[in-house]
Amino acid sequence: RNSSPMPNYYEPEIECASRETLREIQSQRLVEMVKRCYENVPLYKKRFDEMGLKPEDIRSIDDLTKLPFTTKQDLRDTYPFGLIAVPRDDLARVHASSGTTGKQTVVAYTQNDLDIWARSAARAIVGCGGTHEDFVHVSYGYGLFTGGLGLHDGAEKMGATVIPVSSGNTSRQVQILQDYGSDILACTPSYAMYIGETVREKGIDPKSLRLRIGIFGAEPWTEEMRREIEKALAIRAFDIYGLSEIAGPGVSCECEEQAGMHVQEDFFYPEIIDPVTGEQLPDGEEGELVFTCIGKEALPLIRYRTRDICSLTHEKCACGRTTVRMTKPKGRTDDMLIIRGINVFPSQIESVLLDLGMDPNYRMIVDRKNNLDTLEVQVEMNESMFSDTVRSLERVERTIADALHSTLNIAAKITLLEPKSIERSEGKAKRVIDRRKL
């Protein structure tokens, strides 16, 4: 169960490259990409023409701010293949993201795009301490969702053995972890918690499993949740980030230092902007994450607004990598709730609950009564509390309410629920029910 010797790189010539080398690669790729977008994507040609911008006006990565933003709405408006920059018969694969609102967001890849994505995911797995001797247990969903195949291809690329379990049938997942000796588990953090719960219920000592690394993403999660998962499965838990519009998992990932996620910036160039003004923000300032897909052929998005809130740093990491790092996204501009004028992220509520020793199984219900927003937080009790007296449960509810009030500056009604009464999710957990007719 010992972790691999440091340092561990997949492509050190890029991951440890000088800033000058990275800038040269980025500038060259941006210039080529902009020309391709102008010549092959009608939406971009129209936008450039309206702005009076010519592809030759873009000479280096410094000219990025001259370019227009792209949003999820642009993908919806050109559904399904309107933003694709290559002929249809050059496509090797199509994925789609589960749009919570309206149509799915369709993304496509050439064979070269798939190779870039696999290289990015391979760098991510190796950065977390994975080696070619490892068995990688992939419990992300397969299919149109990019999670399963993204980690699968990355693990194969770096020479590991893949167990393509997909999600669901949690008892069987635990059996496989035990019997096959999986070294690395890849799934959503909420599903990792559920697997941990199942391990405990079966009376299995997590230390008896061969598992040592967890690579978790696809939803925002907190440091407190990381500690819970690490305890429940006796592993080190790493955050991986990606979104299907940019590629899929592996756009960025933590290394063994767990000090921010290294962005594969030779393919995906990040910026942080003020979500209101669109102005670029300096290192260390929180804002909206924007990506430009400088390495991609089929869907080369220019300045795509991810809606994720985080910050960047270009300081060299203790692991030796020079690539820019992003902080864990603390939420999305679109999953941020504004309740009575106050910005509330589900991740803040999760932090409070875990700090108080509660399990992270909760639901937020937002409503509006007499023109006033109300917030109810439903929290599952753990087994030990279930036998407590009514008075002691009221005390728990009061403690949670006070802690939320001091963190969020907002009053919430707390309701304790029986253990297991909130439906477990094998993908992304659904945390918010907003009943307001806004």
Side-chain angles (χ1 to χ4, degrees):
R1 295 182 60 86
N2 62 339
S3 66
S4 61
M6 291 269 292
N8 208 2
Y9 308 114
Y10 181 67
E11 297 185 271
E13 66 283 3
I14 293 292
E15 296 177 81
C16 304
S18 68
R19 292 305 317 166
E20 292 69 48
T21 303
L22 284 167
R23 264 182 62 85
E24 274 169 36
I25 294 172
Q26 289 161 346
S27 294
Q28 183 201 338
R29 288 184 177 168
L30 178 68
V31 169
E32 289 167 8
M33 168 204 180
V34 165
K35 188 166 178 291
R36 194 162 64 245
C37 286
Y38 186 77
E39 289 169 0
N40 298 299
V41 182
L43 178 95
Y44 283 133
K45 182 177 188 320
K46 181 167 169 283
R47 290 232 171 120
F48 278 40
D49 291 347
E50 283 166 0
M51 297 166 74
L53 189 65
K54 301 245 176 319
E56 46 274 20
D57 297 337
I58 305 301
R59 296 191 185 88
S60 85
I61 201 76
D62 295 332
D63 295 323
L64 193 67
T65 51
K66 296 178 182 171
L67 294 164
F69 290 113
T70 312
T71 64
K72 195 158 206 160
Q73 194 54 47
D74 294 327
L75 283 156
R76 291 196 187 114
D77 292 345
T78 55
Y79 173 91
F81 301 123
L83 290 182
I84 302 298
V86 297
R88 194 182 162 104
D89 60 354
D90 284 356
L91 297 178
R93 197 193 294 167
V94 173
H95 276 282
S97 75
S98 51
T100 37
T101 48
K103 283 182 175 152
Q104 287 193 314
T105 309
V106 179
V107 294
Y109 306 78
T110 62
Q111 191 52 55
N112 191 50
D113 293 339
L114 290 176
D115 190 55
I116 279 175
W117 180 18
R119 280 166 65 191
S120 301
R123 289 178 196 172
I125 297 165
V126 172
C128 297
T131 74
H132 63 90
E133 296 165 350
D134 286 325
F135 275 38
V136 182
H137 180 113
V138 181
S139 299
Y140 285 109
Y142 279 68
L144 286 175
F145 174 62
T146 53
L149 283 164
L151 265 297
H152 181 117
D153 290 352
E156 276 185 0
K157 189 89 176 159
M158 48 76 71
T161 305
V162 185
I163 312 175
V165 191
S166 196
S167 55
N169 196 339
T170 310
S171 272
R172 197 186 85 207
Q173 300 259 0
V174 173
Q175 188 81 54
I176 290 171
L177 288 173
Q178 277 189 299
D179 296 352
Y180 297 13
S182 317
D183 301 279
I184 298 176
L185 171 66
C187 60
T188 61
S190 46
Y191 193 47
M193 279 300 295
Y194 186 27
I195 291 175
E197 259 179 40
T198 309
V199 165
R200 189 176 65 220
E201 276 163 17
K202 288 178 176 295
I204 299 163
D205 175 4
K207 290 195 178 72
S208 70
L209 299 174
R210 207 185 138 100
L211 209 56
R212 69 171 202 285
I213 292 170
I215 301 178
F216 307 127
E219 58 191 10
W221 52 305
T222 56
E223 284 302 324
E224 291 83 359
M225 181 129 167
R226 186 204 307 265
R227 288 194 291 273
E228 291 280 317
I229 293 173
E230 289 188 333
K231 201 166 70 201
L233 290 168
I235 56 172
R236 289 192 79 202
F238 296 91
D239 200 354
I240 191 168
Y241 174 87
L243 57 169
S244 42
E245 301 92 307
I246 306 306
V251 171
S252 72
C253 190
E254 288 181 327
C255 64
E256 291 187 82
E257 296 293 326
Q258 293 179 323
M261 291 185 263
H262 291 274
V263 180
Q264 311 306 340
E265 57 173 312
D266 53 329
F267 303 132
F268 318 111
Y269 186 84
E271 315 167 72
I272 296 288
I273 62 162
D274 178 314
V276 180
T277 67
E279 290 295 306
Q280 243 185 15
L281 297 175
D283 272 16
E285 277 196 40
E286 270 191 357
E288 182 180 347
L289 180 62
V290 170
F291 275 111
T292 300
C293 303
I294 50 178
K296 277 173 64 184
E297 296 174 338
L299 188 66
L301 297 179
I302 295 175
R303 302 190 84 195
Y304 182 76
R305 298 185 61 159
T306 67
R307 299 277 176 233
D308 286 317
I309 302 289
C310 65
S311 67
L312 298 177
T313 176
H314 285 80
E315 276 178 24
K316 187 172 169 180
C317 180
C319 74
R321 287 176 183 78
T322 50
T323 43
V324 60
R325 282 170 290 154
M326 55 183 267
T327 55
K328 261 177 171 305
K330 68 177 234 190
R332 296 165 68 86
T333 53
D334 53 5
D335 99 340
M336 181 179 83
L337 293 161
I338 301 180
I339 302 174
R340 288 173 243 154
I342 292 173
N343 297 350
V344 178
F345 288 100
S347 57
Q348 293 171 301
I349 292 186
E350 182 176 293
S351 274
V352 169
L353 293 176
L354 288 165
D355 269 347
L356 293 172
M358 307 289 297
D359 293 343
N361 297 314
Y362 67 94
R363 234 187 345 228
M364 300 163 58
I365 297 173
V366 190
D367 211 337
R368 179 160 286 174
K369 297 194 172 114
N370 308 327
N371 295 323
L372 201 64
D373 293 338
T374 62
L375 171 63
E376 179 188 355
V377 181
Q378 298 182 338
V379 186
E380 245 184 47
M381 293 181 274
N382 44 39
E383 297 289 349
S384 61
M385 297 163 59
F386 194 44
S387 55
D388 287 358
T389 62
V390 171
R391 182 169 296 153
S392 65
L393 293 180
E394 283 170 355
R395 201 162 48 235
V396 172
E397 286 177 353
R398 215 166 32 246
T399 306
I400 298 173
D402 291 347
L404 283 178
H405 193 270
S406 68
T407 302
L408 303 175
N409 208 7
I410 192 166
K413 174 179 190 283
I414 308 299
T415 310
L416 292 177
L417 305 177
E418 289 185 18
K420 298 271 184 292
S421 53
I422 293 178
E423 192 187 344
R424 295 296 186 265
S425 162
E426 287 155 6
K428 302 188 187 192
K430 178 135 179 64
R431 300 289 192 201
V432 181
I433 299 167
D434 196 338
R435 295 183 177 149
R436 295 175 293 184
K437 302 281 179 282
L438 297 179

